[in-house]
Amino acid sequence: MKDITVLAIETSCDETSVAVVRNGREVLANTISTQIPLHEQYGGVVPEIASRMHVEKINLVIKEALAEANVTLDDIDVVGVTYGPGLVGALLVGVMAAKSIAFAKNKPLVGVHHIEGHIAANYIAHPELEPPFLCLVVSGGHTHLVHVKDYTTYEIIGRTRDDAAGEAYDKVARAIGLTYPGGPKIDKLAKEGNKDAIKFPRAMQDGSYDFSFSGLKSAVLNYINGAKMKGEEINPADVAAAFQSSVTDVLVGKTMALAEEKGITKIALAGGVAANKGLREAMEKACKEQGRTLYYPDLILCTDNAAMIGCAAYYEYLKGTRAGMDLNAVPNLPLGQR
Ligand code: KG4
Ligand code: ZN
């Protein structure tokens, strides 16, 4: 079969990323221009600033990725782009760039769901991995338990009813004085703390596969405020460790229960929170105990990047998915629907 080279673009949030991916799993370039330092001072992503920065950077990042992969636009077979979910103004920049290239060079265009991309990051990291498997997608905007039935068919079995796991991390981090994004900082701080020093709630223990993190976030904020009112010092490392332990217990517990119920032996982690060391360790331990195999991507493939979009675009392309010049950004695009 002829090689298929995908040029992929990801601009759904605060990373301008362009990748060149061959045959789905071979990454020739994965250039990421992050805006994190810019948003840090505001405590979170400012949508308007994100869109403007994408506009400023996109052409440069495309050039860099092509140069790194040592290809030109004429060598590209397919253009893939994230068209949702995400910030509408941010998504639009990538969608417009992808449409322009596809139109100018007369190449097929494939729209990719951002979460489908996060799941696909596992294919790049593990060349032997094939569906079906169970994927826990945990990012700044999503917390989903997904049955990946084949490369383009997904069944969402559990989802968060309020905050996403990463969102809870970022909000709790802010409350203990850590800057955005708080996830990696809590992860680091948690190692120095005692997870049993404070008992935070484990939500949604009702047998469902849904999640809820806003109650946990409130419990942490109440704990901090309560200590303040009593004039007591809190130990941020203990708060981080106890919070992380609550999040991890729930994520691991529900994922393993679903794997058991469905008889699924392969479990994958995806999304920014999949970079969490505490989660990886707890999941690793549970999988080992139950004889299941755990997959997760390298750190750089966990957070937003275009290589994962290139991989997902490749499998969508093989299935026959094509987008027209009317492709638009869809900020609340549901997974598995077009
Ligand atoms: O997937 P991602 O880059 O963007 C979205 O699609 O949302 O995820 C970003 C999220 C942020 O909330 C960030 O705090 C969290 O992932 N994150 C982590 C870690 N690294 C990133 N959360 C916990 N532990 C980490 N090590
Ligand atoms: Zn993401």
Side-chain angles (χ1 to χ4, degrees):
M1 202 169 91
K2 181 191 166 297
D3 283 341
I4 294 173
T5 306
V6 177
L7 177 77
I9 300 179
E10 155 65 43
T11 62
S12 68
C13 191
D14 56 353
E15 254 88 36
T16 316
S17 183
V18 177
V20 180
V21 180
R22 189 179 285 154
N23 300 330
R25 302 197 187 207
E26 191 190 341
V27 180
L28 305 185
N30 185 24
T31 307
I32 304 169
S33 167
T34 183
Q35 307 174 359
I36 285 177
L38 213 68
H39 297 288
E40 212 169 3
Q41 56 188 307
Y42 303 103
V45 179
V46 184
E48 180 63 18
I49 295 177
S51 320
R52 284 190 205 191
M53 284 311 291
H54 287 309
V55 171
E56 264 182 44
K57 295 281 179 181
I58 189 71
N59 286 338
L60 192 73
V61 181
I62 292 171
K63 272 191 195 149
E64 274 181 24
L66 291 170
E68 194 188 321
N70 200 18
V71 297
T72 69
L73 287 179
D74 294 315
D75 301 316
I76 298 299
D77 300 299
V78 179
V79 182
V81 64
T82 308
Y83 74 111
L87 302 169
V88 67
L91 287 163
L92 270 172
V93 179
V95 169
M96 293 308 289
K99 286 206 287 192
S100 308
I101 294 169
F103 181 72
K105 290 288 175 183
N106 197 23
K107 306 282 183 190
L109 177 67
V110 175
V112 174
H113 190 287
H114 183 73
I115 296 302
E116 185 176 17
H118 273 302
I119 295 169
N122 279 288
Y123 299 133
I124 298 172
H126 305 281
E128 76 286 6
L129 177 63
E130 283 180 19
F133 57 89
L134 201 61
C135 190
L136 174 67
V137 185
V138 269
S139 73
H142 308 272
T143 306
H144 287 339
L145 253 178
V146 185
H147 186 187
V148 181
K149 295 183 166 175
D150 70 40
Y151 285 106
T152 56
T153 314
Y154 309 92
E155 185 192 354
I156 300 175
I157 299 175
R159 67 179 77 227
T160 181
R161 296 200 183 161
D162 39 60
D163 291 354
E167 197 179 346
Y169 263 96
D170 294 336
K171 287 176 178 168
V172 165
R174 202 148 123 179
I176 54 175
L178 303 171
T179 55
Y180 173 84
K185 288 156 196 145
I186 290 201
D187 197 7
K188 209 167 149 209
L189 190 61
K191 273 200 206 69
E192 298 160 25
N194 172 8
K195 71 176 174 56
D196 301 315
I198 313 156
K199 187 80 187 155
F200 289 130
R202 270 77 179 144
M204 306 284 300
Q205 300 299 313
D206 57 354
S208 90
Y209 291 116
D210 280 350
F211 302 95
S212 165
F213 293 107
S214 77
L216 170 60
K217 174 196 68 194
S218 302
V220 177
L221 298 183
N222 287 342
Y223 173 82
I224 296 170
N225 289 335
K228 238 186 228 158
M229 275 161 64
K230 284 186 252 163
E232 291 170 7
E233 286 278 316
I234 61 148
N235 179 340
D238 286 348
V239 174
F243 164 76
Q244 177 146 308
S245 155
S246 170
V247 174
T248 305
D249 273 1
V250 175
L251 293 176
V252 174
K254 297 209 175 205
T255 307
M256 300 314 286
L258 182 58
E260 177 77 29
E261 185 194 309
K262 295 243 171 212
I264 299 174
T265 55
K266 293 189 278 188
I267 295 174
L269 303 178
V273 183
N276 188 269
K277 294 212 180 62
L279 176 63
R280 287 178 174 199
E281 281 163 19
M283 207 56 120
E284 199 91 76
K285 187 166 167 271
C287 282
K288 215 168 167 188
E289 281 166 9
Q290 298 186 18
R292 299 181 211 283
T293 314
L294 181 67
Y295 301 86
Y296 48 77
D298 299 337
L299 287 182
I300 193 69
L301 291 173
C302 281
T303 44
D304 292 349
N305 67 88
M308 67 186 196
I309 303 302
C311 176
Y314 170 78
Y315 289 107
E316 286 288 353
Y317 173 77
L318 291 188
K319 199 191 82 178
T321 303
R322 302 288 184 273
M325 283 302 126
D326 57 349
L327 182 70
N328 204 353
V330 185
N332 53 0
L333 182 69
L335 181 64
Q337 286 174 33
R338 291 196 169 265

